[in-house]
Amino acid sequence: MSSASPAVAKGGPVRAEGARRTAARRSPTAPPRSFLWSRRIFLTVLSVFVLVPIYAMVSSSLKPLGDVSHKFRWLPSNLTFRPYIDIWKTVPLAKYFVNSLIVAGAATVCSVAVAVFAAYAVSRYRFRGKRAFTVAVLSTQMFPGILFLLPLFLIYVNIGNATGIALFGSRGGLILTYLTFSLPFSIWMLIGYFDSVPRALDEAALVDGCGPIKALIRVIIPAAVPGIVAVAIYAFMTAWGEVLFASVLTNDTTRTLAIGLQDYSTQNDVYWNQIMAASLVVSVPVVAGFLLLQRYLVAGFTAGAVK
């Protein structure tokens, strides 16, 4: 009996057949393997770049102050949850937390309520000055916020002196300030989302006997929930983490969390472990809300960008 050929003995035809089958399974439009590996490497480096600071914050928040004040150690020797208890005693963090919730919540509700009606009017009706209105809304995003700091400060002080309405140093003044930034972008994004909602829904609601406001509330708003949620998240995050205007337009009683974290740094010492712990606690509402409403946020921003 003749011996097998060297190619067959070494499995050459078998490997060639497997390679042909693998190539046949790949889609003609599939990206090359070099691109896939480059993307994996880039995402890995980006993940490390994002996760390392988070690990440093978490590990520092679980260390005593003496360990944090010296050279940073990646593996803490003494773990303690004491900083998460002391953050509420060293600084009136609970009061700052309430102020931030009230200001951010009120700014979000007002921004969404006004933006829904304004965007619906621009999307569904023709009126004189419509184009000028949309251009003015977009033009407000061209200027940095610091340009409005001194004018708003002077306006609030003069209104308080003339009418007795305390806008400077009050939550109401801070809410009104945040509306000047979140409302134009909210209107612009909802205009694009309402444009993506078929007008046949409005016509069907009008045929059923609904007026324009009733059609908006019962038909258009339920269909535009992703866009409205995206606007709400944007307005809340803008108000929650804002520092510049909150540092000027608030006082000791109306101070928000973004400014209250500075109180952990005194003339004698800096409580680094408590700063890290408080920063993690402050970020919990925003992160939790983003994770719960992530699918609405992606859908809302995508629809607004397309239009």
Side-chain angles (χ1 to χ4, degrees):
M1 182 174 61
S2 61
S3 59
S5 62
V8 175
K10 295 181 180 180
V14 176
R15 288 196 296 268
E17 182 67 22
R20 285 194 296 269
R21 292 179 180 177
T22 302
R25 286 196 300 267
R26 289 180 57 85
S27 174
T29 59
R33 293 185 180 275
S34 58
F35 172 78
L36 295 178
W37 280 107
S38 301
R39 185 176 62 179
R40 292 170 184 171
I41 294 173
F42 174 76
L43 292 178
T44 301
V45 174
L46 184 62
S47 300
V48 173
F49 182 77
V50 173
L51 294 177
V52 167
I54 296 178
Y55 171 77
M57 289 181 60
V58 174
S59 62
S60 299
S61 67
L62 297 174
K63 296 178 183 179
L65 182 60
D67 294 348
V68 182
S69 301
H70 297 87
K71 184 179 180 181
F72 179 78
R73 298 179 59 182
W74 291 100
L75 297 177
S77 57
N78 299 319
L79 293 178
T80 177
F81 289 94
R82 190 68 188 178
Y84 288 91
I85 301 176
D86 294 339
I87 58 175
W88 307 97
K89 302 176 182 178
T90 306
V91 169
L93 192 65
K95 181 176 68 174
Y96 300 155
F97 208 99
V98 172
N99 290 337
S100 292
L101 283 177
I102 293 175
V103 171
T108 301
V109 172
C110 295
S111 180
V112 170
V114 176
V116 164
F117 288 97
Y120 181 74
V122 174
S123 175
R124 290 298 192 265
Y125 297 101
R126 294 182 178 179
F127 54 90
R128 182 177 299 178
K130 175 180 177 179
R131 184 175 181 84
F133 175 77
T134 55
V135 171
V137 167
L138 287 177
S139 63
T140 58
Q141 307 299 311
M142 298 170 53
F143 305 99
I146 195 171
L147 293 179
F148 303 98
L149 181 59
L150 182 58
L152 284 174
F153 173 79
L154 295 177
I155 290 172
Y156 288 173
V157 171
N158 291 330
I159 289 177
N161 295 333
T163 63
I165 300 176
L167 293 178
F168 174 74
S170 66
R171 297 170 179 167
L174 198 59
I175 294 170
L176 187 61
T177 301
Y178 291 155
L179 283 177
T180 61
F181 300 103
S182 61
L183 187 56
F185 181 80
S186 301
I187 294 174
W188 174 77
M189 192 169 68
L190 281 182
I191 290 174
Y193 201 91
F194 284 156
D195 287 343
S196 66
V197 177
R199 295 179 181 269
L201 296 178
D202 303 62
E203 298 173 358
L206 294 176
V207 170
D208 291 339
C210 295
I213 302 299
K214 197 173 183 179
L216 171 64
I217 296 174
R218 290 193 174 185
V219 179
I220 305 303
I221 289 180
V225 167
I228 295 174
V229 171
V231 167
I233 294 177
Y234 168 78
F236 185 85
M237 293 180 64
T238 301
W240 185 264
E242 202 280 325
V243 175
L244 178 63
F245 289 89
S247 62
V248 176
L249 301 179
T250 59
N251 51 31
D252 294 337
T253 59
T254 59
R255 189 171 297 172
T256 58
L257 282 172
I259 306 303
L261 293 178
Q262 300 177 3
D263 293 347
Y264 290 103
S265 176
T266 63
Q267 294 181 352
N268 300 324
D269 205 349
V270 179
Y271 300 95
W272 289 110
N273 55 347
Q274 295 186 34
I275 291 177
M276 298 301 174
S279 299
L280 291 173
V281 171
V282 167
S283 63
V284 167
V286 177
V287 174
F290 178 82
L291 294 178
L292 291 175
L293 303 174
Q294 182 179 9
R295 59 191 183 97
Y296 295 107
L297 183 66
V298 174
F301 276 124
T302 302
V306 171
K307 290 293 180 180

